[in-house]
Amino acid sequence: MKDLIEGALKFMQEDFKEHAELFESLKNKQNPHTLFIGCADSRVIPNLITNTGPGELFVIRNIGNIVPPYRVGDDFLATTSAIEYAFNSLHIKNIIVCGHSNCGGCAALYANENDLKNMPNVRKWLTLLEPIKNKVLKVAKDDLAMRSWMTEKMNLVNSLQNLLTYPGIEEALNKKEIELHAWYYIIETGEIYEYDFSFENFVLIQERIKKV
């Protein structure tokens, strides 16, 4: 905790002053251009990997960077409500769903029931990926490496599909008023792959830029 307090003091005394003009411009409102939906994993830092500053990204983070299908419910729908807000109130122009290598959330999908006995809400959350698990096991079986990267990538494609169930998003996409992207981040190399809708596979992001 001491390190965190010292970091906060450094921000107030040094870093904030360096960007004081920017923070002054943000004091009354935000106008982010992109909704970034990422994993809660501490190794994935949205502003770092996108080289963006305060006010540019509206960020949602959860276990496994999962986008659930749209629904209106009586319980507390944190991810769903945040997507609603970003699209309808902030009018973001891009949505990026970012997954990553060695995802603990995706790995937990295959854990024994006893491993999650003290985490009932995590267990319930991961049931959203049960259809993916069933498909992966038919192919990967006991190959743990294949199982991991297949689950992580299929989860991203599934989240893109689920985004289209949110009112207005598919219409905005067809009108080219919004862009949807799925990124797969390799932690140990820093490489980012993006899903190519045309070829239905992931390619290095610099290759995607060449095609634009």
Side-chain angles (χ1 to χ4, degrees), residues 17 25 34 36 53 56 78 85 93 100 156 168 180 187 191 193 197 203 209:
K17 292 179 180 179
S25 71
T34 298
F36 187 102
E56 294 189 72
Y85 182 77
K93 301 301 180 184
H100 64 94
L156 285 167
L180 304 185
I187 292 173
E191 293 172 307
Y193 291 77
F197 287 91
V203 298
I209 291 174

Side-chain angles (χ1 to χ4, degrees), residues 131-141 150:
I132 291 174
K133 175 182 177 179
N134 295 334
K135 291 178 182 178
V136 170
L137 287 176
K138 290 179 180 178
V139 178
K141 298 181 180 178
M150 281 188 68

Side-chain angles (χ1 to χ4, degrees), residues 35-105:
L35 166 60
F36 187 102
I37 304 171
C39 186
D41 194 298
S42 61
R43 299 166 294 177
V44 181
I45 307 173
N47 290 101
L48 181 64
I49 67 176
T50 59
N51 194 32
T52 51
E56 294 189 72
L57 301 181
F58 187 78
V59 178
I60 301 171
R61 301 182 70 168
N62 62 44
I63 294 174
N65 46 268
I66 298 171
V67 175
Y70 183 79
R71 70 183 180 90
V72 177
D74 295 327
D75 49 347
F76 303 99
L77 306 178
T79 296
T80 301
S81 61
I83 295 171
E84 265 188 349
Y85 182 77
F87 180 71
N88 293 294
S89 182
L90 298 177
H91 307 294
I92 42 88
K93 301 301 180 184
N94 313 287
I95 301 178
I96 297 172
V97 185
C98 182
H100 64 94
S101 60
N102 192 29
C103 179

Side-chain angles (χ1 to χ4, degrees), residues 192-209:
I192 299 174
Y193 291 77
E194 180 169 3
Y195 185 68
D196 187 317
F197 287 91
S198 301
F199 296 96
E200 298 185 344
N201 63 3
F202 285 83
V203 298
L204 274 171
I205 201 165
Q206 56 261 44
E207 298 300 321
R208 292 283 291 140
I209 291 174

Side-chain angles (χ1 to χ4, degrees), residues 131-132 135-136 149-159 202:
I132 291 174
K135 291 178 182 178
V136 170
W149 66 257
M150 281 188 68
T151 304
E152 290 157 359
K153 291 182 176 180
M154 289 175 68
N155 177 29
L156 285 167
V157 176
N158 184 64
S159 286
F202 285 83

